[in-house]
Amino acid sequence: MINKAKLHEIIFEADTRMGKLFDVILLWFIIASVVTVIIDSVEPIHNRHQNLLYVLEWIFTIVFTIEYAMRLWVVKKPLKYATSFFGIIDLLSILPTYISIFVAGTQYLLVIRALRLLRVFRILKLVKFTREGMHILLALRKSLYRIGIFLAFVLTLVTILGSTMYVIEGSVNSKFADIPTSIYWAIVTLTTVGYGDITPVTSAGQFLAAVIMLLGYSIIAVPTGIVSAELTRSAISTNTHNCRTCGHSFHEDNARHCLVCGASLYLDESE
Amino acid sequence: MINKAKLHEIIFEADTRMGKLFDVILLWFIIASVVTVIIDSVEPIHNRHQNLLYVLEWIFTIVFTIEYAMRLWVVKKPLKYATSFFGIIDLLSILPTYISIFVAGTQYLLVIRALRLLRVFRILKLVKFTREGMHILLALRKSLYRIGIFLAFVLTLVTILGSTMYVIEGSVNSKFADIPTSIYWAIVTLTTVGYGDITPVTSAGQFLAAVIMLLGYSIIAVPTGIVSAELTRSAISTNTHNCRTCGHSFHEDNARHCLVCGASLYLDESE
Amino acid sequence: MINKAKLHEIIFEADTRMGKLFDVILLWFIIASVVTVIIDSVEPIHNRHQNLLYVLEWIFTIVFTIEYAMRLWVVKKPLKYATSFFGIIDLLSILPTYISIFVAGTQYLLVIRALRLLRVFRILKLVKFTREGMHILLALRKSLYRIGIFLAFVLTLVTILGSTMYVIEGSVNSKFADIPTSIYWAIVTLTTVGYGDITPVTSAGQFLAAVIMLLGYSIIAVPTGIVSAELTRSAISTNTHNCRTCGHSFHEDNARHCLVCGASLYLDESE
Amino acid sequence: MINKAKLHEIIFEADTRMGKLFDVILLWFIIASVVTVIIDSVEPIHNRHQNLLYVLEWIFTIVFTIEYAMRLWVVKKPLKYATSFFGIIDLLSILPTYISIFVAGTQYLLVIRALRLLRVFRILKLVKFTREGMHILLALRKSLYRIGIFLAFVLTLVTILGSTMYVIEGSVNSKFADIPTSIYWAIVTLTTVGYGDITPVTSAGQFLAAVIMLLGYSIIAVPTGIVSAELTRSAISTNTHNCRTCGHSFHEDNARHCLVCGASLYLDESE
C-alpha cells in the first residue's frame, strides 16, 4: 500500500517514475478539460453534443476535486498549499461547476469557465524542472525590472501620442472619438499590430502616425536587446562545475580551469 | 520647522524618507490629473460629471502651482531651473488652465490639455536614479547615432519605394492618390504595421508590397542588433569595483584582477 | 562512358564540376515546374494557355521520373533512399500527375499540386554544404528546444487570453462568436499581425487587446534573444583550427593557444 | 583661382572645409528637388502652383547638370565615373526633365520622376566616411550572405504555405483567387504586416493562418540574431590600435596589451 509520504512524492514531485506518470496523466486531463470548454462554446457543437459535454465537464470536475483533496491530505501544511498560487488555481478550476448548480445565470458561468483554463499553467510545473526552462526563466527574471521600466516608458509615450492624435484628428475623424480610444489606437500602431479599424485621415494625422510607426519599429529593439544581452551573458557562463578550491560557479562551457583561482575543475585531470 | 536646504532635499532628491514620500505623492497627483484629462474627453462622462471634473482640474492646477512656486523658491539658481527641461514642463502643465479663463475657444484648449500629459515624464525622475534605468539609457545614448543613420536610410528607402508604388498603382488605384500618401503606405508596410486602409490591387503592386514587407521583416534586425550589441557589451562589463591602482572602472563581472594594470581588485585577497 | 559510381557522385554530391552542374540544372527545372503550377492557378492564364501548361507539366513529370529512377538505380540501398525524407518528397512530386489520368476530380488534384512545391526544398541541399548555412542550422537546432518551450507558453497564453476576450466581448460583438475564433484573434493580436477582421468594440475589450499587444511586443524578445545568444556564442567561437595536442575544436577567433591544454594552435609559431 | 585638383577634392571628398560645404549644399538641393517632385504629385498643389513647380524643376535640373559636367571634367577617368553606381544615378537624375521636352506622355514621365528620388542616396556618401556608418555597413555585409539564405528559406516557405492555403480556402473564399495572391497573403501574414484585405474564413484556414503567424513571430529571430551576433562581435573588438609588434588589429576597447603577442599597444606606456 502507498503511504502518505510516497503519495506526496508522486503528486508533488516529477523525478520518480510514478511521479512522472501522475503528472503526464494529469496534463492530458487538463488539456482534455480545456478542449471541452473551448468546443462547448461553438454553437453547432454545443447544440448537438450538449449532454455529452455536460457529463464530461462533471467527470473532469470530480477527478480534479479528488486530486485537490489528495493534495490537501498529503501535504504537511495544508493551509500553506491552499493559499499558494497553484493551490488557489486548483480550487478555482473546480469551484465553478459546483456553483453552477445553485446559480443559474449562464452569462456569469462563462467568466468562470475561462478561469478554468488557467489549469494549463500547471503544465509549466513539468517544465520548471528542466534545465533549459530554468535558464530562460532566470534570464527573464533578471530582465523583468528593465522590461518594466521600458513598459512604463511606452505607456507614457502612447498617452502623449494618443492625446496629440485626438487633438489633431478628433474634430474631423469620428473614429478618434475620445482620448482613451486614441491611446488604444496609439498602442495598436506603436506595437505594429495595425488593425486598421481606426486610421488617420488628415495629412498631419498620417504624418504623426508614420512617426509612431517608425518609433515602434525602432524601440522594439529595447526589450529584445535586454533579453538578448541577458541570455548571451548567461549562455557564455553555463558550465555547471563549481570550483572545488574557491567555489566560483560560473565558467565558460569549455573551461577546465577555474577562472578565479586557476585550480582544475575536473577530478580526472588533477589525479 | 523645515528650512530651505531641507525643503530642497525633499523636493529635488529622492534618497531620503521624506524626499521619497514627496515624489510618490506627486506621482499619484500627476497620474490622477492625467486620468482626469483623459476621461474628460469621453463625451458621456464629460456630460454627466462636468462640474466635478472642472473642480478637480482646478485643484490639480493649484497644487502644481504651489509645487512650482516652491521649486523656484528653494532652488539656488531659479532661472536655471525655470529654463531647464523639467522646469519648462512644470510651467506648461499649469499654464493652460489659467489661460482657459481668458481664452474661451475650447477647440484650442484641447491642444494644451494634451501637453499637460507631459507631466507624466516627471515619473522618470524617480527612475533616473535607479541603476538599471541608467544602464539602459547609457546603452541607448551610445546607440542613438547609429539608430539615427538607420532611420535616415529607412526614410530614403520609403521615399523611393512609395514613389515607385505611386507610379505603379497611382493610375488604377484611387487609394494611392499622391506620393505623400504612397510614402505613408510604404511606412505602414515596411514597419509591418499594415493597417489595410491602403492596399495594392495590381499584380506588380502586390509584388512590390511583398518585397517591402520582406525588407521590413529583415532590416528590423538592424536597430535590434545595435541595441543588443550595446547592451551585451555593457552587460559583460558590470563589475562595479574600480581598480585601486589605476582607477579603471569597467571589469568583467567575475574579474578579480584589473584589466589594465593587473592589480588585485579585492582587498581581502591582497592582504 | 559514365559508370554507376560516377553517376552517384554527379546526382548525390555537389562538390565536383559535373555534380554542381547537375544540381543547378535540377534547381532550375524545379523552379520552372513550381512556377508552372503557380501560374496555372491564375484563371485568365489557365484559360488561354491550357494546352501549353498541360504539356509542360507532363515534360516536368517525365524528367523528374527519370531522375527518380536514376537515383533509385545508382544508390547502394534503394529502399533506404526511397523511405528517406527527400526520397518521399521526390516520389510525391511525380505521383500526382500520373494519378490525374485515372482520377478526374480536379478538386483533389489541387491538394497534390501544392505538395509538388515541396520540391523547392531540394534547393536547400545545395545550401546544406555551405559553411554559413551549417552555422545557422546548428544555432537553430540548439535553440529549438527553448523556442519549443516558448511556443508552449505562448499557446497557453493565447488560450487564456482568447477565452477571457470571448467572455468580455462574446455577448456584444458577433465577431467573437466562440472561443476558437477568439483564440485565433488572440494569436493575430499577440503576434502583432493585426488583420483587423475581428476587433474589440467594448472599452474592456480594447483594454485587454492593448495588454495583449504590449505583451506580444515585449515577449517577441524571447525567441529573438534565444537565437541571438546562440549565434553570438557560436560567432565568438569560430576559429576552425583544432588543437593538435588535445583535439579541442572551438576557439576564439584570434586565439593562438588551445583553450584546454595550452598548446600552440599554429605550426609556424611553435617551430 | 581654383585648379582642377582642388575642385576634385571639393566635389568628391568631404574632409576639407570647402568639400564639406559643397556636400551639405548639394544635400539640401537634392532634398529640395525630391520634395518638389513629391508635392507636385498632390493634385490641389499641382493645380495651384503648376508654373512655380515647373520652373523649380528646371532650376534643379540645370544645377545638377552643371554639377554632373563638373564631375566629368575634374575626375581623372571620366568613363569610369560615368559607369559607376553614383555616376549612373547622377545622369538618371537629370535626363528625365530633358526627355520630357520631346516626349509628351505624362504617364511615362511619372516613372522617371520616381527614379530622380534616387539622388537622395548620395546623402549616404556623407555617411560613408563616418566611423559608425562603416561599422554597421561592415556588419551588414558580413551578415548579407546569411540573410540571403534566410530569405531563400522564407520564400520557399511562403510558396508552400500560400499554395496550401489556396487549396484550403480557394473554393470557398473568393479572396484566395489564385496561388500568386495566396502567396502574397502568406507574405503579408508571415511578416506580421497583416493588412486584413485577404483573411481566411474557414476553421482550417484560420488554423493554418495562426500557424503561419506563430512561425513568422518566431523566425524573425533569425535575421535579428544574425545581425546582433555580428554587431556584438565587432562591438567587442573596436580598439583601432594595431599591435606594433605583431600587427594584430582587433583588440578589446580597453585593452592596453596585444592579445596575441603581449606587447604594449601604446607608446607612452612603454617609454
Side-chain angles (χ1 to χ4, degrees):
Chain A
M1 257 199 75
I2 298 164
N3 63 352
K4 209 168 161 179
K6 205 166 179 190
L7 208 61
H8 181 275
E9 205 178 86
I10 290 167
I11 297 174
F12 280 91
E13 306 297 334
D15 42 13
T16 61
R17 213 176 55 87
M18 284 294 284
K20 233 175 207 161
L21 191 74
F22 178 84
D23 275 353
V24 169
I25 290 169
L26 189 65
L27 177 68
W28 284 110
F29 260 89
I30 294 166
I31 291 171
S33 74
V34 168
V35 169
T36 308
V37 173
I38 290 174
I39 63 170
D40 191 28
S41 76
V42 184
E43 209 149 334
I45 294 172
H46 177 79
N47 291 340
R48 209 181 309 163
H49 305 290
Q50 200 167 353
N51 290 329
L52 175 68
L53 289 166
Y54 186 77
V55 169
L56 274 176
E57 200 171 298
W58 271 104
I59 290 171
F60 289 129
T61 306
I62 288 161
V63 167
F64 291 140
T65 307
I66 293 167
E67 183 223 336
Y68 183 66
M70 255 161 56
R71 278 183 194 271
L72 274 179
W73 181 59
V74 299
V75 95
K76 273 177 187 168
K77 296 174 178 172
L79 202 80
K80 209 184 157 190
Y81 161 67
T83 55
S84 73
F85 178 65
F86 279 115
I88 290 162
I89 288 172
D90 287 346
L91 184 64
L92 284 174
S93 57
I94 48 171
L95 263 187
T97 325
Y98 292 112
I99 294 170
S100 72
I101 307 171
F102 310 105
V103 188
T106 50
Q107 201 71 0
Y108 298 102
L109 266 171
L110 284 169
V111 188
I112 304 157
R113 263 179 192 160
L115 282 168
R116 207 186 298 165
L117 290 165
L118 284 166
R119 274 175 201 157
V120 183
F121 268 132
R122 284 203 294 219
I123 304 165
L124 293 178
K125 274 197 203 169
L126 291 173
V127 168
K128 218 167 55 182
F129 296 102
T130 68
R131 200 166 158 269
E132 291 295 318
M134 279 293 277
H135 190 72
I136 295 172
L137 281 177
L138 212 86
L140 275 181
R141 187 173 300 174
K142 277 187 184 175
S143 311
L144 218 64
Y145 184 70
R146 291 184 187 180
I147 287 177
I149 292 173
F150 172 71
L151 278 180
F153 172 72
V154 165
L155 284 175
T156 310
L157 207 67
V158 292
T159 308
I160 294 168
L161 291 171
S163 306
T164 312
M165 205 62 183
Y166 170 64
V167 172
I168 294 174
E169 293 262 328
S171 53
V172 206
N173 190 342
S174 65
K175 292 284 180 66
F176 290 87
D178 44 53
I179 294 184
T181 308
S182 303
I183 292 172
Y184 164 72
W185 168 85
I187 294 173
V188 169
T189 304
L190 191 87
T191 57
T192 76
V193 170
Y195 280 141
D197 52 347
I198 307 165
T199 49
V201 291
T202 65
S203 294
Q206 290 187 339
F207 180 79
L208 185 62
V211 170
I212 298 175
M213 284 165 210
L214 288 172
L215 243 166
Y217 190 67
S218 299
I219 65 172
I220 199 170
V222 176
T224 308
I226 291 167
V227 177
S228 286
E230 205 52 68
L231 281 171
T232 302
R233 207 186 157 199
S234 64
I236 290 170
S237 319
T238 51
N239 191 316
T240 53
H241 286 271
N242 291 341
C243 175
R244 282 167 306 126
T245 306
C246 74
H248 185 82
S249 60
F250 282 100
H251 293 99
E252 284 254 355
D253 222 27
N254 42 25
R256 296 192 94 82
H257 287 266
C258 177
L259 199 78
V260 179
C261 69
S264 173
L265 289 169
Y266 296 90
L267 267 173
D268 57 311
E269 202 168 308
S270 58
E271 286 170 341
Chain B
M1 259 200 76
I2 297 165
N3 63 352
K4 208 169 162 180
K6 205 167 179 189
L7 208 61
H8 181 274
E9 204 177 86
I10 291 168
I11 297 173
F12 279 93
E13 305 297 334
D15 41 13
T16 61
R17 213 175 55 88
M18 285 294 283
K20 232 174 206 162
L21 191 73
F22 178 85
D23 275 354
V24 169
I25 290 169
L26 189 65
L27 177 68
W28 284 110
F29 260 89
I30 293 165
I31 290 172
S33 74
V34 169
V35 168
T36 308
V37 174
I38 290 174
I39 64 170
D40 192 29
S41 77
V42 184
E43 209 149 334
I45 294 172
H46 177 80
N47 291 340
R48 209 181 307 162
H49 306 289
Q50 200 166 354
N51 290 328
L52 175 68
L53 291 165
Y54 187 77
V55 170
L56 275 176
E57 200 172 298
W58 271 105
I59 290 172
F60 289 129
T61 306
I62 289 160
V63 167
F64 291 139
T65 307
I66 294 167
E67 183 224 336
Y68 183 66
M70 255 161 56
R71 279 182 194 272
L72 274 179
W73 181 58
V74 298
V75 95
K76 273 176 188 168
K77 295 174 178 171
L79 202 80
K80 209 186 158 189
Y81 161 68
T83 55
S84 73
F85 178 65
F86 279 115
I88 291 161
I89 288 171
D90 287 346
L91 184 64
L92 284 175
S93 56
I94 50 171
L95 262 188
T97 324
Y98 293 111
I99 294 169
S100 73
I101 308 171
F102 310 105
V103 188
T106 51
Q107 201 70 0
Y108 298 102
L109 266 171
L110 284 169
V111 188
I112 304 157
R113 265 180 191 161
L115 281 168
R116 205 186 299 165
L117 290 165
L118 283 166
R119 273 175 201 159
V120 184
F121 268 132
R122 284 205 294 219
I123 304 166
L124 293 178
K125 274 198 204 168
L126 290 173
V127 168
K128 217 168 57 182
F129 296 103
T130 69
R131 200 166 158 268
E132 291 295 316
M134 280 294 277
H135 191 72
I136 296 172
L137 281 176
L138 211 88
L140 276 180
R141 189 172 299 173
K142 277 188 183 172
S143 311
L144 219 63
Y145 184 70
R146 290 185 187 179
I147 287 176
I149 292 174
F150 173 71
L151 278 179
F153 171 72
V154 165
L155 285 174
T156 310
L157 207 66
V158 291
T159 308
I160 294 168
L161 292 170
S163 306
T164 312
M165 205 63 184
Y166 170 64
V167 172
I168 294 173
E169 293 262 328
S171 53
V172 206
N173 190 343
S174 65
K175 293 283 180 67
F176 291 87
D178 43 53
I179 294 183
T181 308
S182 302
I183 291 172
Y184 165 71
W185 168 85
I187 293 174
V188 169
T189 303
L190 191 86
T191 58
T192 75
V193 170
Y195 280 141
D197 52 347
I198 307 164
T199 49
V201 291
T202 64
S203 294
Q206 290 188 337
F207 181 78
L208 185 61
V211 169
I212 298 176
M213 285 166 210
L214 289 172
L215 245 166
Y217 190 68
S218 300
I219 64 172
I220 199 170
V222 176
T224 307
I226 291 167
V227 176
S228 285
E230 205 51 69
L231 281 172
T232 302
R233 207 186 157 198
S234 64
I236 289 171
S237 318
T238 51
N239 191 316
T240 53
H241 286 271
N242 292 340
C243 176
R244 282 167 306 127
T245 306
C246 74
H248 186 80
S249 61
F250 282 100
H251 293 100
E252 285 254 354
D253 222 27
N254 42 26
R256 295 192 95 82
H257 288 266
C258 177
L259 200 78
V260 180
C261 70
S264 173
L265 288 169
Y266 295 90
L267 267 174
D268 57 311
E269 201 169 305
S270 58
E271 285 170 342
Chain C
M1 256 200 74
I2 296 165
N3 63 353
K4 209 168 161 180
K6 203 166 180 189
L7 208 60
H8 181 274
E9 204 178 86
I10 290 168
I11 298 174
F12 281 93
E13 306 296 334
D15 42 11
T16 60
R17 214 176 55 87
M18 284 295 282
K20 232 175 205 162
L21 191 73
F22 178 84
D23 275 353
V24 169
I25 290 169
L26 189 65
L27 177 68
W28 285 110
F29 260 90
I30 294 165
I31 290 172
S33 75
V34 169
V35 168
T36 308
V37 174
I38 290 175
I39 64 170
D40 191 28
S41 76
V42 184
E43 209 149 333
I45 294 172
H46 177 79
N47 291 340
R48 209 181 308 162
H49 306 289
Q50 201 166 353
N51 290 328
L52 175 67
L53 289 166
Y54 187 77
V55 169
L56 273 176
E57 200 171 297
W58 271 104
I59 290 171
F60 289 128
T61 306
I62 289 160
V63 166
F64 291 139
T65 308
I66 294 166
E67 183 224 336
Y68 182 66
M70 254 160 57
R71 278 182 194 272
L72 275 179
W73 180 60
V74 298
V75 95
K76 272 176 189 169
K77 294 173 180 174
L79 202 79
K80 210 185 157 189
Y81 161 68
T83 56
S84 73
F85 177 66
F86 279 116
I88 291 162
I89 288 172
D90 287 346
L91 184 65
L92 283 174
S93 57
I94 49 172
L95 263 187
T97 324
Y98 293 112
I99 294 170
S100 73
I101 308 171
F102 309 105
V103 188
T106 51
Q107 199 69 0
Y108 298 100
L109 265 171
L110 285 169
V111 188
I112 304 157
R113 264 181 191 159
L115 282 168
R116 206 186 298 164
L117 290 165
L118 284 165
R119 273 174 202 158
V120 183
F121 267 131
R122 283 202 296 217
I123 303 166
L124 294 177
K125 273 198 206 169
L126 290 173
V127 168
K128 217 168 55 180
F129 296 102
T130 70
R131 200 167 159 269
E132 291 295 317
M134 279 294 276
H135 190 72
I136 297 172
L137 281 177
L138 212 85
L140 276 180
R141 188 173 299 173
K142 277 187 183 175
S143 311
L144 219 62
Y145 184 71
R146 290 182 187 181
I147 287 177
I149 292 174
F150 173 72
L151 278 180
F153 172 73
V154 165
L155 285 175
T156 310
L157 207 67
V158 292
T159 308
I160 294 168
L161 292 171
S163 306
T164 312
M165 205 61 183
Y166 169 65
V167 172
I168 294 173
E169 294 261 328
S171 53
V172 205
N173 190 341
S174 65
K175 292 284 180 66
F176 291 87
D178 44 52
I179 294 183
T181 308
S182 302
I183 292 173
Y184 164 71
W185 168 86
I187 293 174
V188 169
T189 303
L190 191 87
T191 57
T192 75
V193 170
Y195 280 141
D197 52 346
I198 306 165
T199 49
V201 292
T202 65
S203 294
Q206 290 187 339
F207 180 79
L208 185 61
V211 170
I212 298 176
M213 285 166 209
L214 289 172
L215 245 167
Y217 190 66
S218 300
I219 63 172
I220 199 171
V222 176
T224 308
I226 292 167
V227 176
S228 285
E230 205 53 68
L231 281 171
T232 302
R233 209 184 154 199
S234 64
I236 290 170
S237 318
T238 50
N239 191 316
T240 53
H241 286 271
N242 291 341
C243 175
R244 284 167 306 125
T245 306
C246 73
H248 185 82
S249 60
F250 281 100
H251 294 99
E252 285 255 354
D253 222 27
N254 41 26
R256 295 194 95 82
H257 287 265
C258 178
L259 199 78
V260 179
C261 69
S264 173
L265 289 169
Y266 296 89
L267 266 173
D268 56 311
E269 202 169 308
S270 58
E271 285 170 344
Chain D
M1 257 199 75
I2 296 165
N3 63 352
K4 208 168 162 181
K6 204 167 180 189
L7 208 60
H8 181 274
E9 205 178 86
I10 291 168
I11 297 174
F12 280 92
E13 306 296 334
D15 42 12
T16 62
R17 213 176 55 87
M18 285 294 284
K20 234 174 205 160
L21 190 74
F22 178 84
D23 274 354
V24 169
I25 290 169
L26 189 65
L27 178 66
W28 285 109
F29 260 90
I30 294 165
I31 290 172
S33 74
V34 169
V35 168
T36 308
V37 174
I38 290 175
I39 63 170
D40 192 28
S41 76
V42 185
E43 209 150 333
I45 294 172
H46 177 78
N47 291 341
R48 209 181 308 164
H49 306 289
Q50 201 166 353
N51 290 330
L52 176 68
L53 290 166
Y54 186 77
V55 170
L56 274 175
E57 201 171 297
W58 271 104
I59 290 171
F60 290 128
T61 305
I62 289 161
V63 167
F64 291 139
T65 307
I66 294 167
E67 183 223 335
Y68 183 67
M70 254 161 55
R71 278 182 194 272
L72 274 179
W73 181 59
V74 300
V75 95
K76 272 178 188 165
K77 294 174 179 172
L79 202 78
K80 211 186 157 189
Y81 162 69
T83 54
S84 74
F85 178 65
F86 278 114
I88 291 161
I89 288 171
D90 287 345
L91 184 63
L92 284 174
S93 57
I94 48 171
L95 262 188
T97 324
Y98 293 111
I99 294 170
S100 74
I101 307 170
F102 310 105
V103 188
T106 51
Q107 200 70 2
Y108 298 102
L109 265 169
L110 285 169
V111 188
I112 304 156
R113 264 180 191 159
L115 281 169
R116 205 184 302 163
L117 290 165
L118 284 166
R119 275 175 200 157
V120 183
F121 267 132
R122 284 203 294 216
I123 304 167
L124 293 178
K125 274 197 204 168
L126 289 174
V127 167
K128 217 167 56 183
F129 295 103
T130 70
R131 199 166 160 266
E132 291 295 316
M134 280 294 276
H135 190 72
I136 296 171
L137 281 177
L138 211 86
L140 276 180
R141 187 173 300 173
K142 276 188 184 173
S143 311
L144 219 64
Y145 184 70
R146 291 182 186 181
I147 287 177
I149 292 173
F150 173 71
L151 277 179
F153 172 72
V154 165
L155 285 174
T156 310
L157 208 65
V158 292
T159 308
I160 294 168
L161 292 171
S163 306
T164 312
M165 205 62 183
Y166 170 64
V167 172
I168 295 174
E169 294 261 326
S171 53
V172 205
N173 190 341
S174 66
K175 293 283 180 65
F176 291 87
D178 44 52
I179 294 183
T181 308
S182 303
I183 291 173
Y184 165 72
W185 168 86
I187 293 173
V188 169
T189 303
L190 191 86
T191 57
T192 76
V193 170
Y195 281 141
D197 52 347
I198 307 165
T199 50
V201 291
T202 65
S203 294
Q206 290 187 339
F207 181 78
L208 184 61
V211 170
I212 298 175
M213 285 165 209
L214 289 172
L215 245 166
Y217 190 67
S218 301
I219 64 172
I220 199 170
V222 177
T224 308
I226 291 167
V227 176
S228 285
E230 205 52 68
L231 280 171
T232 303
R233 209 185 154 198
S234 63
I236 289 171
S237 320
T238 50
N239 191 316
T240 52
H241 286 271
N242 292 340
C243 176
R244 284 167 306 127
T245 306
C246 74
H248 186 81
S249 60
F250 282 100
H251 293 100
E252 284 255 355
D253 222 26
N254 41 25
R256 295 194 94 83
H257 288 266
C258 176
L259 199 79
V260 179
C261 70
S264 173
L265 289 168
Y266 295 90
L267 267 173
D268 56 311
E269 201 170 306
S270 59
E271 285 170 344

